[in-house]
Amino acid sequence: MKFGPIPIDQAEGAVLAHATTAGERRLRKAHRLSADDVSLLKASGISEVVAAVLAADDLSEDAAAEKIAASMAHRNIETKPAATGRVNLHAEAAGIFTVDAAMIDAINAIDPTITIATLAQHAPVEKGQMVATVKIIPFAVASALVDAVTKICAGGEIFVVNAYQPVRVGVIQTVLPGIKPSVLDKTLRVTEARLARSGGRLTAERRTPHEITPVAEAVASLTRDNDMVVIFGASAMSDFGDVVPAAIERAGGSVVRAGMPVDPGNLLVLGTLGGKRVIGAPGCARSPKENGFDWVLDRLIAGLDVTAKDIAGMGVGGLLMEIPTRPQPREPLPAKAELMIDIVLLAAGRSSRMGGPNKLLALFDGKPLVRRTAERALASKASDTIVVTGHQRERVRESLSGLDVTFADNPDFAEGLSSSLKAGIARVAEDAAGAMIVLGDMPGVSTADLDRLIDAFRKSEGLSVVRASHQGKRGNPVLLPRVLFPAISHLEGDTGARHLVEAEGLDVIDIEIGEGAAVDVDTREALEGAGGVLQD
């Protein structure tokens, strides 16, 4: 492939490196030039373009990505169509992701032009979640390199979503004086919720004294009619000969591993009886917060074996967050700081449905709409307001003079909404937990509305998407957690973040803010009806 400036007379069939305007037409980046395109560019006075010219043995970026993805062997994974040199792969079922790391490393070592990225080994995934992506860096790549990758892929299964199975689980809870029934009842509810996420169900419970013999009898009984047994001890395991491991052996089973290098979760016991798994749950498993118990339980429910060696290998990454309910934290908990949120105010659009005037410069109570929106954002609980400019950027910036906002210029604004989202997210502070996407043309959204979204996001500990709504219908603004930022960088065209919210499977919290969530001013009639006055 040849890349660089090319005389326009030699440009037919070349792939544009940058978006180019010819008369009234805008040719997008990665567009392959036809004879008509070349004539149009010449008529516009363009004598050369920066482009890529493919050699006879080159594959285009999409063709190369598709060929690599098609050569991969995998299970419970759907391959999406190629776009901009990328093929994304998504889970067809909820489960645990496993990957042949050696194959991925070998592929990524062939040439920097070809890349594959995946989720971490044993990552839990939801149905529809992206698990891997194939990306070709340049506009084309030599077919010999692609062939080298497909040869590696022929060596076996490269990754799998091990689907959760609807297992039946029996629970044993031991009892000592002073243990409240409410604690035991809560433990059942938390366990049922853990199983529900994978389609499993709790079928039976036994409450026994905290003694070896009655626990052993309950283990033997419950393993006959269930796929798995979980024991919650009234007292934490303090020795490998303590009640829970000893009861598993008394029942005729064997202990695979007692103790694990994951914290919280150190005191887990894993055993087997008659081919069924028996787990002695650590005390932290009474809490819904992630702990070592989840790691073992999810893998078993996904049909994966868990050995003593597997558990021994969980130490790297096994230091999880403190849980506030722990009686004696290893270190004093610091004061909990409020999560930082930045606002990304989109003000780069062309107002094409207005027929000329820029709606963001329309006056509301004598003030440009974009300035009024920015002032409301600055008055909110957000840490920073980032204004994305593009169309008529100088006029928009002038209308915001004197305001303490951060500007993010989007030279590719004509390519659609995704380009503005990416430009804004790129300027969000590294320590911000999320970004609120605010449209510049929604005059009914107040500072109080923005603060309500921020409060809900903080209450969710930054783990949920928070969305404005009106009468049960989704609207804007939308507050996105940082976990979605990498996916935003892959958006193309006139696409917003809505499908990401749906595809990533995150919790969504809808906040009713009234009709302001649904009122934008895309047309002259809508703007004037909302009280605006267009300016030439």
Side-chain angles (χ1 to χ4, degrees), residues 286-476:
R286 296 184 189 272
S287 163
K289 290 183 179 291
E290 182 185 14
N291 59 78
F293 176 67
D294 292 288
W295 290 17
V296 173
L297 179 69
D298 286 352
R299 292 193 200 183
L300 293 176
I301 291 176
L304 296 170
D305 190 22
V306 178
T307 66
K309 183 178 179 181
D310 291 332
I311 295 177
M314 293 179 179
V316 175
L319 182 58
L320 305 179
M321 67 177 67
E322 279 281 9
I323 54 174
T325 53
R326 179 168 295 191
Q328 293 182 326
R330 289 178 298 282
E331 295 181 13
L333 291 175
K336 190 171 183 178
E338 286 191 327
L339 298 178
M340 290 178 54
I341 293 96
D342 283 355
I343 285 177
V344 175
L345 173 57
L346 302 183
R350 291 177 290 181
S351 303
S352 55
R353 294 174 64 184
M354 286 292 172
N358 189 337
K359 60 185 174 182
L360 297 180
L361 301 177
L363 298 182
F364 281 76
D365 298 326
K367 185 178 296 185
L369 174 57
V370 67
R371 185 178 184 92
R372 191 170 80 157
T373 304
E375 287 177 345
R376 291 177 176 182
L378 288 168
S380 74
K381 297 177 181 179
S383 301
D384 190 15
T385 296
I386 300 159
V387 180
V388 181
T389 59
H391 176 63
Q392 295 185 347
R393 62 177 57 85
E394 296 304 325
R395 292 186 66 191
V396 171
R397 288 193 176 214
E398 183 180 352
S399 73
L400 298 173
S401 62
L403 297 185
D404 186 20
V405 299
T406 300
F407 286 107
D409 187 40
N410 175 22
D412 299 321
F413 65 89
E415 295 185 5
L417 177 60
S418 64
S419 62
S420 290
L421 274 174
K422 288 188 280 191
I425 292 296
R427 296 298 301 273
V428 171
E430 292 184 1
D431 53 353
M436 187 190 302
I437 310 303
V438 176
L439 306 183
D441 63 348
M442 299 188 71
V445 176
S446 67
T447 295
D449 294 331
L450 302 179
D451 285 343
R452 290 182 64 196
L453 298 181
I454 291 172
D455 289 341
F457 182 77
R458 287 173 172 167
K459 188 175 180 179
S460 79
E461 299 183 350
L463 301 177
S464 300
V465 174
V466 179
R467 182 172 59 193
S469 66
H470 176 49
Q471 296 182 345
K473 295 183 179 180
R474 62 184 174 220
N476 285 292

Side-chain angles (χ1 to χ4, degrees), residues 2-59:
K2 176 184 176 183
F3 181 89
I6 298 171
I8 196 66
D9 289 331
Q10 303 172 23
E12 183 177 348
V15 179
L16 278 178
H18 311 293
T20 303
T21 299
E24 297 297 318
R25 188 177 174 196
R26 184 173 176 83
L27 303 177
R28 293 189 174 187
K29 175 183 177 181
H31 176 74
R32 188 181 285 258
L33 294 172
S34 66
D36 289 343
D37 296 331
V38 170
S39 297
L40 182 62
L41 291 168
K42 291 171 71 174
S44 300
I46 296 174
S47 60
E48 70 175 20
V49 291
V50 178
V53 178
L54 276 60
D57 63 343
D58 283 341
L59 289 175

